Amino acid sequence: MLLYFLPLLLLGIFFHIQYHRIAAESARAHLQVIAEHQAITLNLFLRERLVNLDNVIDDPAFRDLSGRTSFLERALADLRLTSDAFVDLGVVGGDGLLLDYQGPVHFPGAVNYRDESWFKDLLGAGRKSVITDIYLGVRNNPHFTIAVKRERDGEVSVLRSALSPEKIHEFLASLEGAGEVHAAVVNAAGVFQVVTPRVGLPLNSSPYLPPRSPLRGPMRAAGGAAAGECAYAWLSEVPWALVVQDALPAAGPASLLGMPRGILLITLAFFAIMGGVIVLRARQLVTKQLAAERHEADLSGQLVHAARLASVGELAAGIAHEINNPLAIIAEEAGLLKDSLDPDLPEDEEEPDLKEHLRIIHDAVFRCRDITRKLLAFVRHAEVKLEQHSIDAILEDVVGGMLGSELATSNIAVVCEYDPEAREILTDRNQLAQVLVNLVKNAIDAMSGGGTLTIRTAHKGDRLLVKIKDSGCGMTPEQLQKVFMPFFTTKAPGKGTGLGLSVSFSIIKNFGGNMYVVSNPGQGSTFTLELPYAMNGQRAV
Ligand code: ADP
């Protein structure tokens, strides 16, 4: 999971940081554009007002001292039509004395601007106009003064006007209208000149102190609620700066972890789906792997079994080979000995013990030969001689002929139910009879106190089924597991070899058939042979 998720997580963090950086950069650029454009608008407004005053001071009627009062009155009315920011108009002499005035203020005595800083600035060489900072003035109302200067015939005359900052205020308010930004105008000392109530109060010191150089750029507001990214632009007409600040963070948490909620949800959904897919896929893979391992274990179990059989086979071949020749010699010698005993000898001269010994030797030799034959049959598979045979006939031979008297003396009833539809099969009669004899003999041994032997044949597709059922002792599950293993026997020493079923099994397999057993302790056993009608398409020889 970690290996799958780690790259995704790192990628997510990388994109998150990139997104943040780009979002911050574009917000900064956006603020910058607003500050620059709106500073140009403000500049234009102020320049227009200066041009308005220039027009008045340059009017020939301005120089006509006799009619100047009425000219000023008309000029103020005209100016107010152009912009209602104009509050009054006053003519000031080179000595600072207010010579003529039109406006709402009634001065009690002579007014002299000689010591005012704006007046001193204006008198400076090369200056033609001046715009002051905002001040309260005699009417305790924030306003600012703009003034223009002319020098004619060595005489200086100044035309000044007080302007209400209301227009600038309205302009800032319209800028804030969309709720995207806060805006304020501050002077070189960082004092609010024009400001909306949401940001601060006029003439109060502001959290913004834009640097004088460069003339425009990004900045960070100092501390407090206003702390954050800003952009500023200095005006060219007056040392004021327009400062704009992003208002969105204060408008409520529209984002989480700095990411818009939509993107965050999509990211989370993506991770959830990826997680689900990974878990499902991992489960499928684990299940598949376990199944493969189980299959492998089964296969290796079968291989071990096959290997064990092979090694037993090799051993058996070795034994058979080694003991066959000596056995032949013993048999021959025993025969000679038996023959040499003269049957016409008088009874008191006979060697009864010798005869008994010879009989035992003889039996033992034939028993050994029997073992070696079975071993060889198990290892080599004797030559198969295929012919068409009726299974009923072979079965009758076994239970009626070969083992008939043994069955009868063992008190065993034989029930035969042959399928009338069963056809003749292509088989090796002797080998099949050997298998059947083996099965019936085992059944007789299992029914030591008598019982019933049921033999059934049935027709199943291209196979013939032969079932040999006894009502004997049956087998435990452990015995069932080993029943086809060579040398497995539960019979007393000298009675069983443990090779009957394993040889039978290999014969039937060699026919291309199958053999299996169902048994329960105390409930008898049923051995089933599945025999193909024809072996791999072979014909009778
Ligand atoms: P053997 O007969 O020499 O013991 P087999 O391979 O023929 O060898 O049989 C192996 C063992 O299988 C027998 O010793 C016996 O325990 C068991 N067995 C075979 N047939 C039956 C049967 N019909 N009922 C109960 N046990 C059987």
Side-chain angles (χ1 to χ4, degrees):
M1 280 286 281
L2 199 68
L3 274 180
Y4 271 108
F5 266 117
L6 203 63
L8 280 178
L9 205 68
L10 291 177
L11 209 64
I13 292 171
F14 172 74
F15 281 125
H16 176 68
I17 292 170
Q18 285 297 316
Y19 167 82
H20 243 291
R21 204 174 52 77
I22 291 168
E25 255 171 33
S26 80
R28 223 173 286 144
H30 180 60
L31 283 180
Q32 193 69 50
V33 168
I34 294 176
E36 283 174 22
H37 284 191
Q38 302 315 323
I40 290 170
T41 310
L42 274 182
N43 259 333
L44 276 176
F45 171 78
L46 295 172
R47 195 169 299 154
E48 262 186 69
R49 303 295 77 81
L50 285 172
V51 170
N52 291 151
L53 287 194
D54 280 339
N55 290 340
V56 175
I57 201 169
D58 290 335
D59 197 304
F62 182 81
R63 272 169 269 162
D64 175 12
L65 295 182
S66 57
R68 194 162 67 185
T69 307
S70 59
F71 167 71
L72 281 185
E73 193 180 352
R74 273 201 321 278
L76 181 61
D78 287 347
L79 286 178
R80 291 178 69 89
L81 282 178
T82 316
S83 169
D84 54 8
F86 287 105
V87 176
D88 60 9
L89 262 184
V91 180
V92 183
D95 52 359
L97 214 57
L98 182 64
L99 303 174
D100 235 322
Y101 176 79
Q102 282 296 321
V105 185
H106 296 286
F107 300 104
V111 179
N112 199 318
Y113 293 107
R114 185 177 55 223
D115 298 325
E116 299 273 339
S117 59
W118 66 266
F119 186 74
K120 287 192 217 162
D121 281 353
L122 188 59
L123 284 193
R127 285 299 292 262
K128 282 185 125 187
S129 63
V130 73
I131 300 176
T132 69
D133 276 351
I134 305 272
Y135 59 95
L136 286 174
V138 284
R139 284 174 298 150
N140 204 21
N141 211 3
H143 57 276
F144 61 101
T145 295
I146 67 172
V148 292
K149 175 185 86 171
R150 291 292 181 271
E151 286 186 62
R152 296 185 191 102
D153 309 327
E155 237 184 71
V156 171
S157 55
V158 170
L159 179 65
R160 63 155 287 287
S161 174
L163 263 75
S164 156
E166 195 50 40
K167 274 282 156 217
I168 303 176
H169 193 269
E170 281 171 16
F171 170 71
L172 292 189
S174 74
L175 209 60
E176 287 193 352
E180 271 185 41
V181 292
H182 292 314
V185 176
V186 297
N187 69 5
V191 174
F192 279 128
Q193 298 299 296
V194 188
V195 63
T196 53
R198 269 205 278 175
V199 185
L201 291 171
L203 301 182
N204 277 14
S205 96
S206 80
Y208 312 119
L209 197 61
R212 288 312 301 254
S213 168
L215 289 175
R216 57 191 71 83
M219 62 173 271
R220 280 194 73 79
E229 288 289 334
C230 304
Y232 70 93
W234 286 99
L235 308 190
S236 55
E237 299 301 324
V238 60
W240 291 351
L242 176 70
V243 181
V244 288
Q245 185 173 9
D246 206 337
L248 280 181
S255 60
L256 214 52
L257 294 173
M259 229 192 267
R261 211 172 286 154
I263 292 183
L264 194 79
L265 285 178
I266 290 171
T267 311
L268 286 178
F270 173 75
F271 272 98
I273 291 169
M274 285 296 290
V277 169
I278 288 167
V279 168
L280 267 177
R281 192 78 193 107
R283 271 190 167 175
Q284 278 177 354
L285 285 176
V286 168
T287 318
K288 226 177 179 179
Q289 184 64 26
L290 284 177
E293 276 171 14
R294 257 201 303 272
H295 183 64
E296 211 171 291
D298 283 356
L299 271 183
S300 76
Q302 285 174 19
L303 280 176
V304 167
H305 181 68
R308 208 183 300 152
L309 279 180
S311 63
V312 168
E314 275 172 27
L315 177 76
I319 293 170
H321 187 74
E322 286 299 320
I323 66 171
N324 234 356
N325 289 340
L327 281 180
I329 293 165
I330 291 170
E332 204 182 320
E333 290 301 317
L336 284 173
L337 270 176
K338 202 177 172 201
D339 291 346
S340 70
L341 285 173
D342 188 358
D344 300 329
L345 278 179
E347 273 199 13
D348 53 340
E349 286 181 31
E350 275 183 17
E351 187 59 76
D353 278 354
L354 191 64
K355 256 188 170 178
E356 180 59 15
H357 286 312
L358 287 173
R359 194 186 60 76
I360 292 169
I361 290 172
H362 193 263
D363 286 355
V365 166
F366 276 88
R367 183 164 159 64
C368 285
R369 199 181 63 178
D370 189 39
I371 291 173
T372 54
R373 270 191 191 153
K374 282 182 178 175
L375 278 170
L376 286 173
F378 177 71
V379 179
R380 265 197 227 125
H381 300 308
E383 185 79 18
V384 179
K385 203 171 151 204
L386 296 176
E387 274 164 327
Q388 290 294 147
H389 291 287
S390 147
I391 188 70
D392 300 5
I394 301 175
L395 283 167
E396 275 311 309
D397 259 9
V398 172
V399 290
M402 293 185 237
L403 299 171
S405 57
E406 200 174 340
L407 283 163
T409 53
S410 303
N411 202 21
I412 292 170
V414 180
V415 178
C416 295
E417 296 171 5
Y418 301 142
D419 184 349
E421 285 183 19
R423 306 191 306 269
E424 290 198 329
I425 53 167
L426 187 64
T427 192
D428 182 307
R429 187 187 175 107
N430 286 340
Q431 288 193 9
L432 184 56
Q434 185 188 338
V435 171
L436 292 169
V437 166
N438 214 351
L439 293 177
V440 174
K441 272 192 165 181
N442 278 342
I444 294 171
D445 289 342
M447 297 184 284
S448 50
T452 308
L453 178 75
T454 311
I455 299 175
R456 269 193 207 107
T457 59
H459 182 74
K460 186 186 166 195
D462 61 346
R463 292 192 159 208
L464 176 74
L465 301 189
V466 182
K467 288 183 182 281
I468 314 257
K469 182 183 173 194
D470 64 65
S471 57
C473 58
M475 283 177 270
T476 63
E478 294 77 40
Q479 289 172 338
L480 262 182
Q481 270 191 347
K482 299 178 195 158
V483 81
F484 293 113
M485 299 265 287
F487 303 113
F488 170 74
T489 179
T490 56
K491 292 173 189 169
K495 279 223 103 191
T497 59
L499 285 169
L501 284 180
S502 57
V503 170
S504 300
F505 186 82
S506 81
I507 288 173
I508 297 300
K509 281 280 168 188
N510 201 32
F511 285 172
N514 201 6
M515 178 175 179
Y516 46 87
V517 56
V518 177
S519 180
N520 280 305
Q523 291 175 21
S525 315
T526 305
F527 282 84
T528 305
L529 305 181
E530 278 190 20
L531 300 166
Y533 275 111
M535 284 167 56
N536 304 326
Q538 292 183 61
R539 299 260 155 252
V541 288

